[in-house]
Amino acid sequence: MSHTCPAPLYRDPIHDGAADPTLIWNEKEQAWWMFYTSRRANVDCPGVAWCYGTGISMASSADGGCTWVFRGNAAGLEFENGTNTFWAPEVIYHCGVYHMYVSYIQGVYTEWGGKPGIIHYTSDDMWNWTYQSRLVLSSDNVIDACVHPLPEGGWRMFYKDQTNHSHTYASDSHDLYEWHTTGPVITDCPHEGPNVFKWQGQYWMITDPWNGLGVYRSDDEMKSWTRQNNILEKPGTRLDDGVKGGHASVMVAGEDAYLFYFTHPERIIGNEEDYKQYDRWVMPYKYRRTSIQAVKLELADGRIVCDRDQQFKLNLGRPDFPLLESKG
């Protein structure tokens, strides 16, 4: 049964800092799960330290994605001593195994810093994760993995390379363990959070250039990409949605596609100088907290559009396995 999608869709009840959501079906629980960065928004600390020391949290939905319940944190991610940082999980399923690719930084910083990499884990239940490796990619300063099967078999990982102008780069794999860099993919502007999906017979990519979300379309099976207009750059009117949308993922359910993104609800246009002054001091809680939102995507003249103020019914249904399987 479909339900009207609420706004906000979800707020983390522990730290109130849910960001970078990604969704996947949990076959054992027969429910949708959301993995996300758990920023410590309700913890007073200097500078941006509340964005570090973060784990990966999980919420589940038994009604097709409208109602979410916090379930806990992914276990087994720590592979070295200390308090460390995990961001932007990507979780996929292949041949009975769940794979997580997560951004990792050693330690906690009060200013933006550290040398992030992408770590690979595996699990058979999405609760407990086993470390596999730190991936060797286009540089040693990469975050925000997205993995999608290639049409001819194998897999392609898209990610932000912060050494190379904060552009999206790609690496390919035949087994999800060993990756070989193919080079830059999106280079028209700095951005983060690439997310690739296939919908209505075309491949699409959503990025976060910090001015709403960038949209790209590929007509040649992910070999090249054409830029379209941004979406979610204009504030909406729903609760906690009156700001630009950030770091999103897309779920395709039959003919429909839904975009899940996060907002900083009280960083409204016009008060940027107010919250930016806290870069090295304790930022007020109202500027730290985040909310997860959802919007239904539409096609208009071959372009992705969305009306973030429009009510819609949401039911992701039960996917037909295998999920995101590769031919190779």
Side-chain angles (χ1 to χ4, degrees):
M1 178 181 295
S2 298
H3 301 275
T4 300
C5 184
L9 180 69
Y10 177 74
R11 288 176 65 178
D12 177 87
I14 307 301
H15 288 305
D16 208 11
D20 316 329
T22 188
L23 277 64
I24 186 170
W25 177 257
N26 186 317
E27 180 68 2
K28 289 187 176 181
E29 292 210 358
Q30 294 290 291
W32 285 96
W33 276 32
M34 180 194 302
F35 287 76
Y36 58 91
T37 307
S38 184
R39 295 177 174 179
R40 299 179 298 132
N42 57 4
V43 177
D44 286 337
C45 48
V48 295
W50 57 280
C51 294
Y52 288 82
T54 50
I56 299 302
S57 292
M58 307 171 295
S60 66
S61 173
D63 65 359
C66 276
T67 305
W68 293 89
V69 178
F70 177 80
R71 299 296 300 275
N73 296 323
L77 300 189
E78 290 288 2
F79 61 92
E80 60 181 357
N81 293 333
T83 299
N84 301 302
T85 300
F86 298 87
W87 291 340
E90 167 75 330
V91 183
I92 67 169
Y93 174 88
H94 181 59
C95 293
V97 178
Y98 296 99
H99 295 259
M100 180 190 294
Y101 301 90
V102 65
S103 307
Y104 173 79
I105 297 176
Q106 185 184 72
V108 174
Y109 290 75
T110 58
E111 299 180 29
W112 296 115
K115 192 62 70 73
I118 294 174
I119 309 298
H120 178 203
Y121 300 87
T122 56
S123 174
D124 62 2
D125 60 7
M126 289 202 290
W127 278 107
N128 301 287
W129 295 88
T130 300
Y131 172 86
Q132 296 296 329
S133 70
R134 181 174 182 137
L135 302 186
V136 178
L137 300 171
S138 55
S139 80
D140 60 354
N141 190 7
V142 295
I143 61 172
D144 297 350
C146 167
V147 177
H148 199 283
L150 288 164
E152 65 272 20
W155 305 83
R156 177 158 293 167
M157 177 182 291
F158 302 87
Y159 52 90
K160 175 188 178 184
D161 189 328
Q162 298 188 141
T163 294
N164 289 297
H165 313 291
S166 291
H167 291 161
T168 289
Y169 272 62
S171 294
D172 290 354
S173 176
H174 69 281
D175 63 1
L176 294 171
Y177 292 85
E178 298 292 332
W179 295 86
H180 306 280
T181 299
T182 59
V185 177
I186 304 295
T187 60
D188 58 347
C189 66
H191 58 275
E192 62 188 17
N195 184 257
V196 174
F197 58 101
K198 189 175 183 181
W199 180 46
Q200 301 289 353
Q202 300 289 336
Y203 289 93
W204 305 88
M205 183 188 298
I206 302 288
T207 68
D208 184 355
W210 312 291
N211 185 29
L213 301 177
V215 181
Y216 300 80
R217 172 174 168 166
S218 177
D219 296 320
D220 56 8
E221 297 186 325
M222 297 190 288
K223 296 181 178 65
S224 62
W225 299 87
T226 301
R227 179 73 179 264
Q228 300 186 350
N229 296 333
N230 285 12
I231 59 174
L232 301 186
E233 77 277 20
K234 296 181 180 179
T237 60
R238 300 184 301 175
L239 182 63
D240 278 7
D241 205 29
V243 294
K244 299 172 183 178
H247 196 130
S249 64
V250 174
M251 290 302 304
V252 176
E255 296 298 310
D256 297 323
Y258 304 94
L259 184 142
F260 298 83
Y261 59 100
F262 83 95
T263 65
H264 279 285
E266 298 189 60
R267 295 189 184 185
I268 60 176
I269 294 175
N271 72 352
E272 290 91 346
E273 292 305 315
D274 186 22
Y275 68 77
K276 286 182 179 179
Q277 70 175 305
Y278 296 102
D279 281 350
R280 297 184 180 181
W281 306 98
V282 177
M283 180 181 288
Y285 160 72
K286 66 178 183 178
Y287 292 146
R288 297 193 302 256
R289 77 175 185 91
T290 56
S291 291
I292 303 295
Q293 302 278 8
V295 66
K296 186 176 182 181
L297 301 181
E298 305 286 351
L299 279 182
D301 298 324
R303 292 175 174 268
I304 283 181
V305 296
C306 61
D307 181 355
R308 67 195 300 182
D309 297 332
Q310 184 179 39
Q311 289 192 341
F312 64 94
K313 299 290 187 179
L314 175 59
N315 185 2
L316 296 176
R318 184 200 184 284
D320 294 326
F321 270 79
L323 286 176
L324 282 182
E325 294 287 12
S326 164
K327 297 177 182 177

